[in-house]
Amino acid sequence: MTFARRRRFASPFARALLGAVLACACWATAADRALAEACAGVGSAPCPYASAQIIGQRAEGVLRFPEAVALDTEGNVYVADQLSYVVQKFSATGAFETEWGSYGGGHGQFGPIGGLATDAAGNVYVVDSSHNRIEKFDANGNFILQWGHKGSEPGQFSFGSSQDYTKPPGGGIAVTGNYAYVADSGNNRIQRFNLQGGEGMEWGTKGSEPGQLRYPRGVAANASEVLVADDDNHRIEKFDPGGAYQGSAGSQGTGPGQFGFPYGVALDAAGNAYVADDLNHRVVKLNPDLTFAGAWGGFGTELGQLAFPRAVASDPAGDTYVANTANDRVEVYNPEGRFLRTIGISARGDATLTGPRGLALDPTGRLLVSDTVGNRIELFAPESDAYAGQWITAGGHRSSFAKPSGIGVDPHGSVYVADEGNERIVHLWGDGTYLSEIGGPASLGGAQLNGADAVAVSQLSGRTYVADAGHNRVLVYGAEGSLIARWGAGGGNGAASSSSGGFNHPSGVAMSPPSLGEDVYVADKGNDRIVELAQNGEVLRQWGSRGGAEGRFHAPAGVAVDGAGNVFALDSEDNRVQVFDANGRFIAKWGLRGTGLGDFSQASAIAVDCAGDVYVADTNNNRVERFNPVEPKPTGCLAPGTWPPPLDVAPVLRVGLARHGGVLARRALTLRVGCQRGCKVLVSATLSPAGRVGSVALVATARPLPRSATGDVRLRVGPVALRRLRRALGRRSGMTARVRIVAAGPTGRRTTVNRIYSVSR
């Protein structure tokens, strides 16, 4: 039985949990047209959605690979990470206060940030590694000025930058007195400027001799010295403020005074230096003469442990603030290395997202989102979009996901995930149970994949359509998983161009509603168009070309279709959604580049749920946005919890012995039993003295086991059996337990497991 989900606004609880905010309530009358201003990107047209909500958290205390940390004279802490594109301000105790910035190249915008510093007036200096510049702000984030661009001349920079978290950004900065010192990593030099970016001077050349540098990263300074984390030379170098070489400390290794790619360096008021020793996962303390004074940390995820620390700041008293990069937090230590507290929330926690690039809705309206950097699929409940769990294991030739992207849902019960880093499609049941995989190293499904961005499943035929972007093609698989067609230019091991006319990085794929047949829609990103194909690959229609006008695109990344056949195209570089009817005629649009509700930053995927609501994976804002159309076109939703149906396979049991000893003392044999998909178990057992004939039966037990839960099952030793065993054992202790477990799954299929254990009285 299906039902249409009611139109709704987020409840107060959901608003508090997910940051949901009413966007607009726009009407078609001329008198109310001014309300459309609250709906970004529609121009003078009415807003096509009645409300909108945010799922996830752009920053607001969440950290995603923090790479830079700085302190001001009032003890405030400034943190910037690689993948949130903001500067966040915390109090000295770690309370979040404010933030500024977004992804981009304008004033107050950033790519990955490589360094932070403050001056005596409280101004904040930001190394925008992506755009090879320094931006200066006041303490509240108001833009003041900028300087620099890519190059090797004085005043130019080559920081190196990446949105790949395995490739950290370059660049470092320190400010003291009237000077700003910048580690120009790619140019292997230090540049010094006044606080307006003028009066530049430089020192350093590439090499490993005294005074030379190889990819310098961190820099610290006071009135008499400048310390540089000479990363690829595994050392700290000391210069005077004019660039004259004064000495160095360190070599590659793990011993006292050695380093493994030192990323960050800081100075306290006494002249002690603190080094973020990246690959050694520790902080190293050096005396003012650069001799070794101690180290702390060590690899791990527990408090006080570090994973790839890449920046450090020190207050006058010598407390150090360490960017614990891979653990997504800042840790604070006293001068002797005793752990004090943490700052920031890890983006690996529940309901947070980093770079979401795929999403889908199941027939109940449950949302599935690929947390690309977190290597997991996160689940959000129907109606409320409250966090409902995650899938972190995949199965097949790799046990986990690696950069998952597109997700496709088969209404019959399956989910397909484009596991891009593992070059495969993972086929799961809708409860997360692994079923099979397509692609992979040995071309397991008949064609290798390269950058598979999207997946769609036909409700009519069960076919799976994969946008194999790196090979410029769409692959078609039968319901049983065999490859049956290649559409497009092919590339790699694909076929030549077909009737589709060839694709250029197809990044989105969607199906028409079953009532309208089995047409396939492709967001042909590199060709700036939407292509509609028949089941046999014949082109039915196409529309779009490069441009910003209505009906034109700039790198469309996703496509979705509602219950009436309307097509929603995600125009990623123009940061908007465009809506077309089934014939490709323009209907509506919304969205602008930004961070507000209804804004986007290089969004990657779009989907429509069973109630007609539209979801967008707002990738560089690290969130998903949900839009509730003024006139939704639902397909009808199943009741929450009714999908997927039970998987018709035999139960998978996990059986172990909870305790080997004390069976007679406790008058019970205790087993630990788990069932992968939920089942009922009947457990029976016998006990006999080790090495002797004869046994006694234990009291059988039957009980249900919930899915994925492991519980203790106690088989009681009755009074008669207890007396017989004690007589038979005498002074001996050892016994043999023979256990039989019969499990019935949700569909009635059974599994029988027999075990023999050695136990004692």
Side-chain angles (χ1 to χ4, degrees), residues 613-747:
D613 295 338
V614 181
Y615 289 76
V616 176
D618 189 10
T619 305
N620 282 347
N621 282 327
N622 296 299
R623 66 188 185 185
V624 171
E625 294 190 77
R626 185 185 76 197
F627 301 93
N628 312 126
V630 173
E631 297 181 1
K633 305 298 181 185
T635 56
C637 301
L638 299 178
T642 59
W643 188 93
L647 185 57
D648 190 20
V649 296
V652 177
L653 286 174
R654 300 179 300 276
V655 183
L657 193 63
R659 302 179 185 88
H660 286 269
V663 173
L664 300 190
R666 294 183 176 86
R667 299 186 180 185
L669 177 71
T670 304
L671 302 172
R672 188 147 291 165
V673 183
C675 189
Q676 182 172 331
R677 282 174 289 276
C679 59
K680 294 180 179 179
V681 295
L682 176 64
V683 185
S684 58
T686 63
L687 276 175
S688 59
R692 301 191 63 183
V693 179
S695 63
V696 298
L698 305 188
V699 179
T701 183
R703 61 171 290 188
L705 292 175
R707 180 185 181 274
S708 298
T710 299
D712 288 348
V713 176
R714 298 181 75 250
L715 291 149
R716 290 186 294 109
V717 181
V720 175
L722 184 63
R723 289 193 297 270
R724 289 179 59 189
L725 283 170
R726 283 175 172 167
R727 284 197 303 269
L729 283 168
R731 295 183 178 181
R732 291 182 295 272
S733 177
M735 295 179 289
T736 300
R738 291 175 170 82
V739 177
R740 179 181 176 85
I741 302 175
V742 180
T747 63

Side-chain angles (χ1 to χ4, degrees), residues 210-536:
Q212 292 185 314
L213 301 164
R214 289 179 59 200
Y215 215 80
R217 289 185 183 269
V219 59
N222 57 28
S224 61
E225 63 182 313
V226 179
L227 298 184
V228 179
D230 188 11
D231 186 65
D232 287 5
N233 282 323
H234 309 284
R235 66 187 179 184
I236 301 299
E237 289 202 282
K238 181 178 179 179
F239 302 88
D240 73 14
Y245 174 76
Q246 294 185 335
S248 67
S251 60
Q252 186 170 14
T254 61
Q258 293 185 309
F259 303 107
F261 296 97
Y263 270 60
V265 61
L267 283 163
D268 66 16
N272 300 302
Y274 303 85
V275 182
D277 190 10
D278 183 60
L279 285 192
N280 289 327
H281 312 290
R282 65 184 181 180
V283 173
V284 175
K285 181 178 180 179
L286 303 176
N287 294 311
D289 62 356
L290 299 186
T291 56
F292 178 77
W296 59 85
F299 182 76
T301 60
E302 300 298 320
L303 297 179
Q305 294 180 321
L306 301 169
F308 303 98
R310 289 180 176 165
V312 61
S314 180
D315 65 17
D319 286 351
T320 54
Y321 295 70
V322 183
N324 193 353
T325 304
N327 284 328
D328 293 329
R329 63 181 184 244
V330 171
E331 295 200 345
V332 188
Y333 300 86
N334 76 359
E336 288 71 46
R338 182 169 61 86
F339 171 78
L340 299 177
R341 60 187 178 277
T342 65
I343 295 174
I345 302 167
S346 171
R348 299 177 189 274
D350 297 345
T352 54
L353 300 162
T354 303
R357 288 182 47 213
L359 52 80
L361 287 304
D362 74 22
T364 70
R366 182 182 60 164
L367 172 65
L368 295 82
V369 184
S370 61
D371 182 1
T372 303
V373 176
N375 296 315
R376 60 183 175 173
I377 304 300
E378 292 203 73
L379 313 174
F380 299 87
E383 297 282 346
S384 68
D385 292 326
Y387 176 76
Q390 63 180 356
W391 298 341
I392 57 175
T393 58
H397 83 279
R398 289 286 185 269
S399 61
S400 58
F401 297 106
K403 299 181 181 179
S405 53
I407 305 173
V409 173
D410 179 355
H412 297 99
S414 292
V415 174
Y416 294 81
V417 178
D419 191 18
E420 186 172 307
N422 289 321
E423 299 180 343
R424 63 176 179 172
I425 304 298
V426 179
H427 181 199
L428 307 168
W429 196 242
D431 61 3
T433 301
Y434 171 80
L435 298 176
S436 63
E437 64 182 350
I438 299 170
S443 189
L444 301 176
Q448 290 183 310
L449 303 173
N450 181 11
D453 276 353
V455 186
V457 185
S458 168
Q459 184 173 346
L460 297 177
S461 67
R463 289 182 173 184
T464 303
Y465 298 84
V466 178
D468 188 18
H471 286 142
N472 300 310
R473 64 188 179 184
V474 172
L475 299 177
V476 186
Y477 295 88
E480 75 293 345
S482 62
L483 179 66
I484 59 177
R486 296 178 175 94
W487 299 342
N493 62 343
S497 59
S498 70
S499 59
S500 68
F503 297 115
N504 183 357
H505 207 85
S507 296
V509 61
M511 305 301 304
S512 62
S515 60
L516 299 179
E518 191 170 330
D519 292 348
V520 184
Y521 295 83
V522 179
D524 191 9
K525 189 174 185 178
N527 287 322
D528 299 300
R529 64 177 180 171
I530 301 297
V531 180
E532 181 183 356
L533 304 108
Q535 187 177 359
N536 62 2

Side-chain angles (χ1 to χ4, degrees), residues 102-114:
S102 62
Y103 181 80
H107 292 168
Q109 294 183 317
F110 318 108
I113 294 171

